[in-house]
Amino acid sequence: MSNAFPEIYLVRHGETEWSLSGRHTGRSDIPLTPNGEAAARKLADRLAGLSFSAVWSSPSERARKTCALAGFGSGAVIKDDLAEWDYGAYEGITTKAILADRPGWQLFRDGCPKGEFAADVGDRADAVIGGLRQTAGTILVFSSSHFLRVLAARWLGLPAEDGSRFVLDTASISVLGYEHDLTEPVIRRWNQR
């Protein structure tokens, strides 16, 4: 369906060993697996024929590598605010292990000791959204799951904690946009593999 309004394409990075095992990967630079690299290369075909006025990437190696393998590395602008959630003391730990020590813990509700809370990530997402809305044209963004989930919630005007309601697979493509005019932000497509 064609759309007269700008769209924002969100791409979650390809698979890493830690994303495969469910370990929280915030600021650690874990490389893509061979499967993650192959999926990133396939993004080129999935995004073929689209033209972007800007390409933005998280500073993480996994996002930058996904961007490069998809064919957009040379024009990408690194945006620090696109970094994944800072998991602090929970970096590299699975949710199952965290729950063993802290029953009932939920990332989006409880945040991370020595790391970020949903509101912190939401503030960064709001800064990104401000930039997106000031940039004319369709934009391609490479980042990580939890950050992109918060970005989607904030795009819709929802609390950052509502990012918990969106799920993103590795190397997935989602599209943010508008309905009738620029005052009606919507999710046009989500988690397409």
Side-chain angles (χ1 to χ4, degrees):
M1 173 166 67
S2 89
N3 184 354
F5 301 113
E7 293 182 321
I8 293 81
Y9 281 70
L10 307 177
V11 178
R12 181 181 176 197
H13 64 76
E15 175 189 275
T16 69
E17 287 296 333
W18 282 18
S19 67
L20 187 60
S21 64
R23 294 170 70 181
H24 289 286
T25 317
R27 304 304 163 90
S28 297
D29 253 338
I30 308 302
L32 300 178
T33 63
N35 285 340
E37 290 184 3
R41 283 186 197 91
K42 289 178 183 174
L43 287 165
D45 291 336
R46 295 169 58 204
L47 296 167
L50 298 171
S51 115
F52 299 101
S53 60
V55 178
W56 295 355
S57 177
S58 158
S60 74
E61 175 63 27
R62 60 192 178 275
R64 289 184 292 123
K65 180 81 171 203
T66 299
C67 177
L69 291 172
F72 296 94
S74 64
V77 175
I78 304 306
K79 300 277 187 177
D80 290 340
D81 281 337
L82 290 171
E84 178 60 303
W85 197 307
D86 182 349
Y87 300 116
Y90 293 159
E91 181 77 8
I93 301 174
T94 65
T95 297
K96 182 178 179 180
I98 296 166
L99 289 170
D101 287 334
R102 192 172 168 191
W105 174 80
Q106 293 178 15
L107 173 64
F108 286 87
R109 182 190 66 208
D110 303 321
C112 300
K114 299 181 183 174
E116 289 182 304
F117 291 83
D120 302 318
V121 182
D123 288 344
R124 290 193 291 111
D126 288 346
V128 169
I129 289 168
L132 291 169
R133 290 195 170 136
Q134 290 177 5
T135 304
T138 298
I139 303 169
L140 179 60
V141 174
F142 292 83
S143 189
S144 298
S145 178
H146 288 138
F147 178 80
L148 291 174
R149 292 166 66 179
V150 171
L151 181 69
R154 296 301 302 137
W155 178 261
L156 297 175
L158 300 171
E161 293 82 1
D162 282 354
S164 67
R165 301 177 188 279
F166 302 98
V167 174
L168 278 177
D169 295 318
T170 55
S172 63
I173 299 172
S174 301
V175 183
L176 307 178
Y178 300 92
E179 178 85 55
H180 300 103
D181 60 44
L182 297 177
T183 67
E184 293 184 46
V186 297
I187 294 177
R188 300 196 66 79
R189 291 181 287 290
W190 191 256
N191 199 37
Q192 295 188 319
R193 295 192 35 116

